[in-house]
Amino acid sequence: MVRKFSKHTPEQIVRKLDKARELRESGSTTAQILTELRISEATLNRWQATCGSITKSEAKELQRLREENTRLKRLLGQAELEKAAWKELSYDSRYRRGYRGFCAV
């Protein structure tokens, strides 16, 4: 049985890493920490390596930038589609009128 992958936002990761630090300082074992956070040991290690030094405000900024990037990519895709449509319309209208460019004989 394959477990479904669940994504965490950067803010959630930072919160869980903070909670893991608190639990470790209070004397909890790694197994207890993993059970409390409901993540695997590999996930915890990966998060500590990649997001260990990120603050909550940096995590919020990262999330905002990712959302803005997604929005801009969508807008760029729409603009490219419009550009292709205009190009196709331009080509069709020149073709129907018998456009031959500057080399008309």
Side-chain angles (χ1 to χ4, degrees), residues 21-64:
R21 282 186 210 106
E22 291 172 10
L23 291 170
R24 182 156 324 269
E25 289 171 1
S26 69
S28 297
T29 65
T30 302
Q32 291 169 334
I33 293 170
L34 297 173
T35 303
E36 175 78 22
L37 299 177
R38 300 179 66 174
I39 59 173
S40 70
E41 188 172 1
T43 300
L44 179 62
N45 291 335
R46 185 178 66 244
W47 286 355
Q48 287 174 337
T50 58
C51 305
S53 62
I54 294 178
T55 64
K56 289 181 184 178
S57 61
E58 289 172 337
K60 284 181 183 180
E61 179 68 10
L62 178 62
Q63 183 68 24
R64 188 190 66 74

